[in-house]
C-alpha cells in the first residue's frame, strides 16, 4: 500500500534510519517490520493486520517519537540554560 509506505518513510526519517522500518504483506494484511543486522523484528507485535489499523499504529508511533524528541530538546535547552547561569 502506497499510503503505508509513505508513513514508513516518515518513520524512517524521524528515526534517522533509512530503510530501518519496512512493510511486509501476507494473509491479506500488513505488518511493520524493523531490520536488524541480518534479520528483522516486529516492533508492534501485531501480526498481519488491515492497512487502516496499521496506519493508525504507525501514526501513534510517529507521534511518540516526535514527543520524545521534543522532550529531549527541552532537556538540552534546560541544561544549556543552567550552564549560562540563567536559571
Amino acid at each position: 500500500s502506497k499510503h503505508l509506505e509513505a508513513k514508513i518513510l516518515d518513520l524512517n526519517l524521524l528515526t534517522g534510519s533509512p530503510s530501518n522500518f519496512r512493510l511486509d504483506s501476507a494473509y491479506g494484511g500488513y505488518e511493520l517490520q524493523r531490520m536488524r543486522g541480518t534479520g528483522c523484528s516486529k516492533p508492534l507485535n501485531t501480526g498481519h493486520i488491515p492497512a487502516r489499523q496499521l496506519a493508525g499504529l504507525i501514526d501513534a508511533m510517529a507521534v511518540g517519537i516526535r514527543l520524545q524528541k521534543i522532550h529531549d530538546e527541552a532537556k538540552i535547552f534546560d541544561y544549556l540554560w543552567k550552564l549560562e547561569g540563567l536559571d
Side-chain angles (χ1 to χ4, degrees):
S1 162
K2 291 186 186 286
H3 183 68
L4 288 173
E5 292 284 357
K7 289 183 178 296
I8 292 171
L9 175 61
D10 182 48
L11 200 56
N12 283 325
L13 292 172
L14 276 173
T15 59
S17 303
S19 302
N20 192 23
F21 291 99
R22 66 184 283 291
L23 183 65
D24 185 56
S25 62
Y27 313 110
Y30 300 91
E31 179 181 57
L32 180 68
Q33 295 182 345
R34 184 175 185 191
M35 302 310 293
R36 293 184 165 241
T38 59
C40 68
S41 65
K42 300 169 184 180
L44 298 175
N45 200 28
T46 59
H48 292 82
I49 57 176
R52 182 176 291 194
Q53 188 178 356
L54 183 56
L57 292 172
I58 292 171
D59 287 343
M61 195 172 172
V63 166
I65 292 168
R66 286 184 177 98
L67 288 173
Q68 183 63 49
K69 286 183 175 217
I70 290 168
H71 175 75
D72 292 348
E73 288 171 6
K75 286 186 352 187
I76 291 169
F77 180 78
D78 287 345
Y79 175 75
L80 293 174
W81 190 264
K82 288 177 183 174
L83 278 180
E84 294 294 322
L86 300 172
D87 56 343

